[in-house]
Amino acid sequence: MDSIHICGGYPLSGETRIQGSKNAVLPILAATVLVDGVSTLDNCPDIADVQCMVRLLQSVGCVVEWENGQIRVDARHIGGISLPQKYVSRMRSSVVMMGAILGRMGRVTISYPGGCVIGKRPIDMHLEAFARMGVALSEEGNTLTAWTRGLSGNTVTLAFPSVGATENVILAGVLAEGETLIRNAAREPEIEALCGFLKCAGADIQKEAGGSMLRIRGVSRLSGCRYRVPADRIVAGTYLLGCMAAGGSVCLKGADSDALSAVLAVIAGMGGKYQCGQDGITLTAPERVQAISYVKTEVYPGYPTDLQSQLLAALALADGESIVEETVFENRFRVVPELVRMGACMETEKNRVIIRGVRALYGKKVAAEELRGGAALCMAALAAQGDTHIANRHFIDRGYQAIEQDIRNLGGRI
Ligand code: UD1
């Protein structure tokens, strides 16, 4: 059944272990294409986007084995350069296969990538960066072909610290001739994870200016290694905000508090009491959440756009008025009408949502329209009185490995 049914209105109480990070494992899987050997990745989440990335790897000739959260990719005999539209159109992060295949094969054909409907999401910065590294591009309909006689390092200054563009330049740079310097690079923890994997395989990447500049010296070969995918900070943040909405206390094993510092600061401002230990984060929600006068989403280390919808769900029940501004994607408030159907009082004004906290939300039939908005509806449902049916769960399955089990572990009725 493509839906989730939650019986809400009960405070949470319990603990769960946080899955491996979707946004870290996807570019790392793409990076395995560059390795002339076998890459072993531990703590891989079993989610739809990872399944899709595995299909893309297989389509270019990688041999992939996946068992108990471990993925082994043998890219020694890679041969293909054409990525099937069937998989590319399912997720935007398939675009990072471009840099990886160009790096290994010097040529790639790909259709424009798909993904969640959260804005225009062009790839102009990726393509401009490739051009600076000696890549020629041609476009026919929806299909892009990129080729090079040899990637050459260059200085790439990104107009905006795009996560995907930074990843693509890193992937293209590690086997390129000479030095690639990325200015205004994204600093998200997932970039750190990608560099961690590549360095483990033999790449030469230096972080400068606190990570906003990356210096990559091309090497001739990468070899097989083993790497552990870090915990998913967005999944952890989702459950923290779910606890703020529903009340109670939760313990998230394996959650990385450093990667969540902006989120924890907002949660503290809402009255949440948390403790960070070696093995995770424990949070106790207040009797009633306090409103936050103003929060805006920003690139890392700011408050993440991927936790904006879940924050709306928690602030829906806050004491007072809050304003949330979205600065990263222009169309990321699709969850608002669904929350309003559940009794929330909020309205959008350009790239802002004004939330007037209500005393209660009520279970309704609602529908997920994209991944994080869908997760936000689950969190609102935990807080809402009565039963909520959330349709289109396939969006949620793109990023959450076992949302039912996690919610059950945390004491929710699902
Ligand atoms: C990644 C994450 C996504 C997260 C986002 C921002 C993955 C798989 N996805 O997406 O979950 O929400 O970072 O933290 O890791 N832009 C352009 N031109 C470009 C590239 C981007 O205009 O060439 C714009 C986008 O439209 C958007 C902004 O830059 O408005 C941020 O995009 P970007 O950082 O590239 O996000 P993604 O890598 O797509």
Side-chain angles (χ1 to χ4, degrees), residues 94-345:
S94 52
V95 73
V96 293
M97 284 293 277
M98 263 190 106
I101 298 183
L102 273 172
R104 181 78 188 271
M105 310 289 289
R107 191 178 181 94
V108 63
T109 301
I110 186 172
S111 54
Y112 273 96
C116 278
V117 281
I118 55 172
K120 290 202 283 289
R121 307 186 91 177
I123 55 166
D124 52 324
M125 282 187 251
H126 303 234
L127 302 183
E128 277 164 30
F130 287 148
R132 287 189 60 77
M133 298 176 77
V135 175
L137 291 157
S138 76
E139 212 177 307
E140 213 182 294
N142 196 33
T143 304
L144 264 173
T145 299
W147 71 96
T148 176
R149 287 214 179 83
L151 284 166
S152 48
N154 201 345
T155 297
V156 171
T157 305
L158 297 174
F160 175 87
S162 152
V163 174
T166 303
E167 290 166 348
N168 247 333
V169 180
I170 294 170
L171 292 165
V174 285
L175 292 179
E177 188 68 41
E179 187 174 286
T180 302
L181 189 66
I182 312 178
R183 291 182 188 275
N184 201 23
R187 290 184 289 161
E188 269 65 4
E190 294 74 26
I191 301 282
E192 183 97 29
L194 173 63
C195 294
F197 166 75
L198 285 166
K199 282 160 92 167
C200 170
D204 181 350
I205 307 171
Q206 309 285 334
K207 212 163 80 166
E208 292 173 21
S212 62
M213 193 151 88
L214 295 173
R215 193 180 295 275
I216 304 158
R217 293 188 188 92
V219 296
S220 54
R221 180 173 178 269
L222 296 181
S223 37
C225 71
R226 185 166 177 182
Y227 189 79
R228 185 175 171 83
V229 176
D232 195 308
R233 65 189 170 109
I234 305 302
V235 170
T238 300
Y239 299 153
L240 291 174
L241 291 163
C243 177
M244 291 300 282
S249 180
V250 295
C251 175
L252 305 180
K253 298 268 180 206
D256 176 1
S257 53
D258 289 343
L260 281 161
S261 54
V263 179
L264 290 169
V266 169
I267 283 175
M270 291 160 73
K273 298 261 181 289
Y274 63 85
Q275 277 184 324
C276 305
Q278 276 287 337
D279 193 31
I281 304 174
T282 305
L283 170 71
T284 302
E287 268 309 303
R288 188 168 184 204
V289 162
Q290 290 154 31
I292 289 273
S293 54
Y294 174 73
V295 187
K296 69 171 171 178
T297 64
E298 285 174 291
V299 297
Y300 192 82
Y303 188 93
T305 172
D306 284 355
L307 286 170
Q308 180 253 99
S309 302
Q310 301 88 320
L311 178 62
L312 297 184
L315 289 175
L317 287 156
D319 185 8
E321 186 176 298
S322 309
I323 294 180
V324 175
E325 182 168 328
E326 172 59 57
T327 73
V328 182
F329 290 107
E330 72 275 15
N331 182 18
R332 217 174 186 181
F333 294 137
R334 294 167 75 103
V335 74
V336 168
E338 298 302 272
L339 291 174
V340 168
R341 277 163 54 74
M342 294 174 75
C345 177

Side-chain angles (χ1 to χ4, degrees), residues 20 25 29 41-46 50 66 68-71 229 401:
V25 75
L29 281 169
L41 306 177
D42 295 307
N43 201 31
C44 296
D46 187 358
V50 174
W66 187 354
N68 296 330
Q70 185 184 77
I71 299 184
V229 176
Q401 169 168 281

